[in-house]
Amino acid sequence: MVKIEQLRKYFPVSRNLLFYRNITYLKAVDDVNLIIQKGSVFGLVGESGCGKTTLGRLLLGLVKPTSGEIYYAGLELSKLKKEYLRKLRKEMQMIFQNPFSSLNPRLKVGRIVETPMINFGMFSPKERKNKVKELLEVVGLEGEFADRYPHEFSGGQRQRIGIARALACEPKFIVADEPISSLDVSIQAQIINLLKDLQEKYHLTYLFITHDLRVVNFISDRVAVMYLGKIVEVADNKELFSSPLHPYTHKLLSAVPIPDPEIEARREIGRFLLEGEIPSPVNIQSGCRFHSRCNKAKNICTEIEPELIHRGNNHYVACTLI
């Protein structure tokens, strides 16, 4: 359904205003290639600031790429006319990370959910009201909640409203940008189960962005690991979690806590946790972008930037030592 080829997004952060030279760029997304199959859940994981959200926004056209190509259902989005692209965009929706800032506090819930249908001229006013109630019930809320304001709901309920809004235009592809990171743990499980049920009911395709590997393991069919604007490993869910290859993936998996004190205590022996901060995406270091935090790094890692190479079992990794 979605194909990305050599996608880049560079944000200018400083330049010589007199001569418009010596521009410095923040490389949020740098040469990314991905394929998201129809009807699947594609997980995208990585630390905060690695470019996950920017990649999701690029796919929906909320941010224009610096270079590269984005295909949706075989159509290259950059070559489409604005009229056709607008019609196509109702098939691509987003669930935002923060349910407290993504809902307009001045609008009632019914209006919030109805607005996408109004924008695309879908249904009559009466049909839209019925659709709003139906969607609220689908996400686990009561239809009567349409007459209330967002401040009257909890965080979990607000996120359900956000999900209902994303479903309003009957989309086929949804970017879920860390939809549970701001919620309580008990509520997180409910939202994840809801998203999984909705995927099966409406035959949706997800790009699920998160930093929580436990969630990815539960919901995703295929997973990409992102570091400093680059994809460093891509594999099917079971393959990635049973046979991780990249040192960064190893460290991410090692950092995931296990709710058993005895097992957790045994894991501490010989455990190598990820240390240090992610380097600046403005002044990119030469060679592998992970070498400054990698305990296995060698001289070659500082000289050669590895490419994403197939290693069998539909498993791709970018590491010169593998």
Side-chain angles (χ1 to χ4, degrees):
M1 175 168 280
V2 178
K3 184 179 180 181
I4 308 168
E5 293 184 350
Q6 297 180 324
L7 188 63
R8 296 182 177 90
K9 180 58 186 179
Y10 298 168
F11 293 99
V13 293
S14 66
R15 65 184 179 186
N16 187 317
L17 296 179
L18 181 60
F19 300 106
Y20 291 93
R21 293 184 296 179
N22 302 323
I23 301 175
T24 302
Y25 291 99
L26 186 153
K27 298 181 179 180
V29 175
D30 196 9
D31 198 19
V32 170
N33 298 275
L34 286 178
I35 295 177
I36 303 175
Q37 298 291 348
K38 184 178 181 180
S40 68
V41 180
F42 193 99
L44 181 63
V45 299
E47 294 174 274
S48 297
C50 72
K52 305 187 301 296
T53 296
T54 301
L55 179 57
R57 291 175 178 269
L58 284 168
L59 296 187
L60 298 184
L62 300 178
V63 178
K64 292 185 178 180
T66 301
S67 63
E69 298 172 341
I70 302 172
Y71 294 90
Y72 174 79
L75 300 172
E76 187 182 348
L77 300 185
S78 63
K79 293 183 178 180
L80 296 179
K81 294 182 179 179
K82 290 184 178 180
E83 298 81 10
Y84 192 85
L85 182 60
R86 175 175 169 76
K87 293 179 181 179
L88 194 64
R89 284 189 65 169
K90 73 176 183 179
E91 297 184 10
M92 303 178 287
Q93 296 295 314
M94 190 168 193
I95 301 172
F96 295 93
Q97 177 178 354
N98 190 342
F100 292 90
S101 62
S102 62
L103 302 180
N104 190 332
R106 297 183 178 87
L107 298 181
K108 290 184 178 180
V109 167
R111 186 67 173 183
I112 290 173
V113 178
E114 184 186 15
T115 297
M117 293 183 276
I118 296 174
N119 290 341
F120 290 103
M122 300 174 65
F123 314 120
S124 66
K126 184 178 180 180
E127 289 173 330
R128 288 198 297 267
K129 289 184 178 180
N130 292 333
K131 186 72 173 178
V132 168
K133 291 184 178 181
E134 177 188 335
L135 288 171
L136 291 176
E137 291 172 357
V138 164
V139 299
L141 300 174
E142 296 181 15
E144 290 72 18
F145 288 176
D147 292 324
R148 298 186 184 181
Y149 288 93
H151 72 269
E152 300 179 63
F153 298 93
S154 66
Q157 289 175 320
R158 291 189 189 201
Q159 195 60 291
R160 290 175 187 269
I161 295 168
I163 294 171
R165 177 178 58 185
L167 295 173
C169 292
E170 301 176 352
K172 297 178 181 178
F173 175 61
I174 291 180
V175 174
D177 183 16
E178 301 204 40
I180 63 169
S181 63
S182 60
L183 305 178
D184 294 338
V185 175
S186 59
I187 305 300
Q188 289 181 1
Q190 296 177 19
I191 298 299
I192 289 297
N193 287 324
L194 172 62
L195 290 173
K196 203 168 181 63
D197 292 341
L198 292 174
Q199 187 219 2
E200 296 176 0
K201 181 175 182 178
Y202 295 108
H203 308 289
L204 298 170
T205 302
Y206 287 144
L207 172 63
F208 194 92
I209 300 172
T210 183
H211 59 266
D212 194 331
L213 286 167
R214 295 171 301 174
V215 175
V216 168
N217 190 18
F218 176 74
I219 197 173
S220 299
D221 301 307
R222 191 161 173 79
V223 183
V225 181
M226 194 170 190
Y227 183 79
L228 207 60
K230 286 273 191 178
I231 300 296
V232 297
E233 187 164 5
V234 186
D236 293 337
N237 187 312
K238 292 182 179 179
E239 173 72 15
L240 184 84
F241 283 88
S242 62
S243 304
L245 297 177
H246 198 280
Y248 180 57
T249 309
H250 275 283
K251 290 181 179 293
L252 288 179
L253 291 173
S254 180
V256 177
I258 296 177
D260 188 317
E262 295 183 1
I263 296 177
E264 191 66 22
R266 290 197 296 269
R267 290 178 75 206
E268 291 297 330
I269 302 175
R271 190 178 191 182
F272 293 97
L273 295 179
L274 186 61
E275 298 180 352
E277 296 294 330
I278 188 169
S280 170
V282 177
N283 299 310
I284 300 293
Q285 58 192 3
S286 62
C288 175
R289 302 189 179 192
F290 185 63
H291 78 260
S292 62
R293 305 172 72 189
C294 180
N295 60 304
K296 298 180 180 180
K298 297 182 179 180
N299 290 336
I300 191 174
C301 299
T302 65
E303 301 169 358
I304 300 176
E305 185 172 7
E307 297 181 358
L308 201 63
I309 299 175
H310 185 238
R311 299 295 182 179
N313 295 326
N314 207 17
H315 195 154
Y316 296 79
V317 64
C319 181
T320 54
L321 302 180
I322 298 174

